[in-house]
Amino acid sequence: MLEDLQYLTLSGNRLNGTLPVAWSSMGRQLLLMDLSGNALSGTLPPAWGRQRWLTRLGLARNALLGALPREWARLAGLLQLDLGGNSLTGTLPAEWGALRQASAVDLGGNALTGALPPAWGSLGSLQMLSLAGNQLSGAVPPQWTQLADRAYRLALGGNPQLCGQVPPALAPAVLAAGASARGSRLGRPCSWEEDAAALLRFKSAILAAPAGPGPAPGAAAQVEPLADWQEGANPCSQGAWTGVSCVHGRVAVLNLANAGLRLPTLEPLAGLSALQELLLAGNTAVNASLPASWAGLSQLEVADLSGAGVSGSLPPQWAGLAGSLRQLRLSGNALSGTLPTSWGELKELESLDVSRNSLTGSLPPEWGTLGSLASLDASSNYLSGGLPDAWKALADLQELRLASNNLGGPIPASWARLPSLTLLDLGSNVGVCGGQPGWRDGTQVALDATNVAQSCIMVGTSGMLAGILLTLAMSVTLASVVAVAALLVYVKRQRAQLAALQRERSAASFSDLGAFSSDPSFASQLGAKLAVVHTFAADGGGAAGLRHKVPGERIKALSIPNPWSQDDERGYIQVPIATPGSGLPHPGSHTPHGAGIPLEEHRSPSPASGMPSPERHQWQVAAQAADRGVDLTARRARQKRLFRSRSEAPGVLAGAAAVLGQLSIQQQGAGQDTSEGLELETLRVHSRVALLPSDGGMV
């Protein structure tokens, strides 16, 4: 029967109850429905959006609740909508921008909140719009300039949080049409504009920060951080800016905890003068420190930057937050420096957590004035010094955690009388000593890894001794390092000298010495270091024949058996080398017997092929000594060192005696005087060196 209904008017009655959802299918030709001035309650049925032919809908002055249904955007033929004088809440649906036939919309006298939706700039037929008497905020969107062609009245008064400059084209409809702007701040700067500017500076710093590690292969591209923070937008619009909440048009809460942001600086947030809560825990600071300028945030109550990697020191200027700050959480950062004594002025501070940082210095006695402090955690730092007796005035203190520091000394007996203390953790402070006071019942005290059971005198003495021992150990270690370095330098120099000597020796082989018999100028070729060289070669009879001698001169040299036929001396050739002070005469001189300078004889092993490296080295040393004119015989005698064992002495002496006999026979045959006798002073250089004096003994 109601299928052909076109008009339904029941205004001014005392109808109550809710709006029937079934009416959404009532009357396929329904053009007008007016239920204003009744006592209807409940919410607006979203299903009524199916009334596609409805042109006028009046539900004003009822007791309707709830939000404006987004589904009503399908009322494509709607010309007039009157919902004023109810208790509707929520925001203005941006979807209603599709009501392009609507010429009059009245939503005044409700409790609508949020910003004016820019999408409503598409209401091309709108002539009159009333939003007065709500709780809308923000400025008139620039997109609403499109309404200026038709709209003659835009009633926006009674919204104290509406502010900002009105687009010039809309000024006649908004500001000059009676009292349409009264009760708002339209035409004057918005209170949130300063906050928006500060937040946008903060965002710009984040975008300019060095990029972190890239996404894993196959991962979705990262979205620009804080993408909905837009220039000219109102941060106080409900849900408009991520993490931002406002009170009376000002940014009061900034919650960006665990948002994955890289924070190069925290300075711009000092512009949020109405900020009450700041939550930035779990982000990543990029060389950011705690700004001293935050002391101007006079309404800041809670600040949480735990685990953000903030560096620098604790700003003493934050004592200026004395009237508001209640909770401060700074654990797990890279903070250094000392605990500011000025923070004793934070009278409202209830909870302070600075654990897991790199703080140093002592516990400030001035903090004993923190009358509201209930929880203090300063564990896992490098704090030192004693436990201040002045903290006995912390009447509200319930939990005190100071573990894993370098604190020391006795526990003040006055701490046992703290009326609210339930937990005290002093573990891993080896300097804590001197016993425990009598704690109240119910107080939990952790004293692991301390010396509380020891006398503080003993602990102090042990610490001093440990320091002395550590100093000595470090000194010994340093001395060892220096000694090893010096030894390495010495070995390096010795190797360099031996290498140079080997290069020199390689230039002149022992075979060249044989040329001395045919080249008398050979001595001059040796330079100033060697005076003369006599070379003897073995003959077939086992005795050496003289290859070179000066006629008429007494020979004070030794013919020796063939060294190649003796197993114990295999690999040797004997090279008597006359050095200054030796007993061999200078070839060509005619110095009478007994008038010469006392000479001595050196014998060196040949660097024959196959000679072990130690023997070759000993040969080089002996040769170098001969070059330098060093009396190795006397030196060995002075040092009393045996380089050949006594067990080999008899064989060596027997060979020496045979050589002496042969030499004596040769000299007698030549008619030479043997009254002076012959002495044998032979230096053998091999892996060992033996000194053989004339008496046949061993040195």
Side-chain angles (χ1 to χ4, degrees):
M1 185 176 71
L2 299 178
E3 293 180 359
D4 297 329
L5 186 63
Q6 297 183 357
Y7 302 97
L8 177 60
T9 303
L10 297 173
S11 61
N13 293 286
R14 297 183 179 181
L15 299 176
N16 53 27
T18 60
L19 298 178
V21 176
W23 286 13
S24 60
S25 59
M26 181 185 65
R28 298 178 181 177
Q29 303 295 326
L30 186 61
L31 301 177
L32 184 148
M33 181 186 298
D34 188 359
L35 300 175
S36 302
N38 286 285
L40 299 174
S41 60
T43 60
L44 302 178
W48 283 20
R50 296 200 291 265
Q51 297 284 357
R52 305 183 63 180
W53 300 101
L54 190 62
T55 58
R56 291 177 175 83
L57 176 59
L59 296 172
R61 300 180 304 280
N62 280 284
L64 299 173
L65 304 172
L68 301 177
R70 298 181 179 180
E71 292 79 0
W72 286 18
R74 296 191 299 228
L75 298 173
L78 190 63
L79 300 177
Q80 298 179 3
L81 175 62
D82 188 358
L83 296 174
N86 284 282
S87 300
L88 300 173
T89 58
T91 60
L92 302 178
E95 293 81 357
W96 283 20
L99 300 176
R100 307 206 174 171
Q101 301 297 323
S103 60
V105 177
D106 188 352
L107 299 174
N110 284 283
L112 300 172
T113 59
L116 305 178
W120 284 25
S122 300
L123 299 175
S125 301
L126 191 64
Q127 300 180 16
M128 191 277 292
L129 173 63
S130 176
L131 298 173
N134 282 282
Q135 300 175 17
L136 300 172
S137 61
V140 176
Q143 293 85 346
W144 282 28
T145 303
Q146 305 174 37
L147 305 178
D149 294 339
R150 292 180 176 271
Y152 64 89
R153 179 177 177 83
L154 298 178
L156 302 176
N159 290 280
Q161 298 180 36
L162 284 178
C163 57
Q165 299 298 322
V166 178
L170 287 178
V174 175
L175 302 178
S180 60
R182 182 174 297 177
S184 71
R185 294 178 54 84
L186 290 172
R188 290 176 287 178
C190 293
S191 57
W192 50 261
E193 288 181 347
E194 179 182 349
D195 297 341
L199 292 174
L200 290 174
R201 289 195 301 270
F202 180 62
K203 176 184 176 181
S204 298
I206 293 175
L207 295 177
Q222 294 183 350
V223 180
E224 175 185 316
L226 308 178
D228 54 3
W229 290 19
Q230 297 295 326
E231 187 77 30
N234 178 12
C236 292
S237 299
Q238 185 173 1
W241 287 31
T242 299
V244 176
S245 299
C246 297
V247 175
H248 302 303
R250 299 298 308 274
V251 175
V253 178
L254 180 60
N255 184 359
L256 297 175
N258 302 309
L261 302 176
R262 294 175 61 82
L263 310 176
T265 179
L266 302 174
E267 190 70 35
L269 300 181
L272 303 176
S273 57
L275 190 65
Q276 300 176 17
E277 293 187 23
L278 176 60
L279 308 176
L280 296 176
N283 291 287
T284 303
V286 184
N287 299 322
S289 58
L290 300 176
S293 58
W294 283 13
L297 301 177
S298 59
Q299 300 184 43
L300 185 63
E301 298 180 3
V302 178
D304 187 357
L305 290 92
S306 303
V310 180
S311 59
S313 59
L314 302 176
Q317 297 85 347
W318 283 17
L321 302 174
S324 61
L325 190 61
R326 295 185 295 104
Q327 298 180 22
L328 180 58
R329 298 187 285 271
L330 300 172
S331 64
N333 285 287
L335 297 171
S336 58
T338 61
L339 301 176
T341 58
S342 61
W343 283 19
E345 301 176 14
L346 298 174
K347 308 300 183 183
E348 302 298 324
L349 189 62
E350 300 174 358
S351 176
L352 174 60
D353 188 351
V354 292
S355 62
R356 295 182 290 118
N357 283 284
S358 299
L359 299 172
T360 57
S362 59
L363 302 176
E366 293 81 358
W367 285 19
T369 59
L370 297 175
S372 300
L373 189 64
S375 175
L376 172 59
D377 190 348
S379 58
S380 299
N381 282 284
Y382 299 96
L383 300 174
S384 58
L387 307 177
D389 181 70
W391 285 18
K392 64 185 178 183
L394 299 176
D396 291 345
L397 187 62
Q398 301 175 16
E399 297 182 358
L400 177 58
R401 292 179 170 87
L402 300 172
S404 300
N405 281 286
N406 298 321
L407 300 172
I411 302 175
S414 58
W415 284 21
R417 296 189 293 272
L418 288 171
S420 302
L421 187 64
T422 59
L423 173 63
L424 173 62
D425 188 356
L426 290 172
S428 299
N429 285 282
V430 295
V432 174
C433 54
Q436 300 187 54
W439 301 103
R440 295 184 307 103
D441 292 340
T443 302
Q444 300 180 19
V445 181
L447 295 171
D448 299 336
T450 66
N451 286 295
V452 69
Q454 303 294 329
S455 169
C456 289
I457 296 177
M458 295 298 296
V459 173
T461 304
S462 301
M464 181 177 65
L465 291 176
I468 294 174
L469 293 176
L470 179 61
T471 302
L472 291 176
M474 292 180 65
S475 301
V476 172
T477 302
L478 181 61
S480 301
V481 172
V482 173
V484 171
L487 180 60
L488 292 176
V489 172
Y490 173 76
V491 171
K492 184 177 181 180
R493 290 180 178 176
Q494 290 298 317
R495 287 181 176 178
Q497 292 178 2
L498 291 177
L501 179 61
Q502 189 172 7
R503 289 194 299 270
E504 293 177 2
R505 290 295 173 185
S506 64
S509 64
F510 273 79
S511 61
D512 294 336
L513 298 179
F516 181 74
S517 59
S518 60
D519 186 5
S521 64
F522 180 70
S524 63
Q525 298 176 9
L526 297 180
K529 291 185 178 180
L530 299 178
V532 65
V533 177
H534 288 262
T535 304
F536 297 88
D539 59 11
L546 185 64
R547 280 190 180 178
H548 175 77
K549 68 178 181 178
V550 179
E553 184 178 55
R554 295 170 57 193
I555 301 301
K556 192 176 182 181
L558 180 64
S559 296
I560 61 176
N562 187 347
W564 307 104
S565 64
Q566 302 184 28
D567 293 337
D568 60 339
E569 297 179 354
R570 183 169 300 165
Y572 285 77
I573 61 173
Q574 280 65 36
V575 184
I577 301 177
T579 61
S582 68
L584 295 176
H586 194 288
S589 65
H590 301 281
T591 305
H593 177 70
I597 301 174
L599 300 176
E600 67 178 7
E601 178 182 333
H602 296 281
R603 293 183 179 180
S604 302
S606 169
S609 62
M611 178 182 289
S613 296
E615 299 174 0
R616 183 182 298 273
H617 171 68
Q618 295 289 355
W619 177 86
Q620 292 173 344
V621 172
Q624 184 183 25
D627 289 348
R628 296 170 56 190
V630 176
D631 188 351
L632 290 181
T633 301
R635 175 181 294 179
R636 297 298 182 185
R638 285 194 303 271
Q639 294 178 349
K640 302 294 184 179
R641 299 179 62 181
L642 293 177
F643 293 87
R644 183 184 294 274
S645 65
R646 291 182 180 273
S647 62
E648 301 178 15
V652 175
L653 292 177
V659 173
L660 286 173
Q662 295 176 5
L663 183 60
S664 175
I665 294 172
Q666 292 177 3
Q667 290 182 345
Q668 290 177 0
Q672 298 178 355
D673 184 11
T674 61
S675 60
E676 295 182 358
L678 296 174
E679 296 181 354
L680 177 62
E681 296 178 347
T682 303
L683 174 66
R684 294 189 179 278
V685 180
H686 190 263
S687 60
R688 300 180 299 275
V689 178
L691 176 64
L692 305 178
S694 59
D695 59 0
M698 291 294 293
V699 179

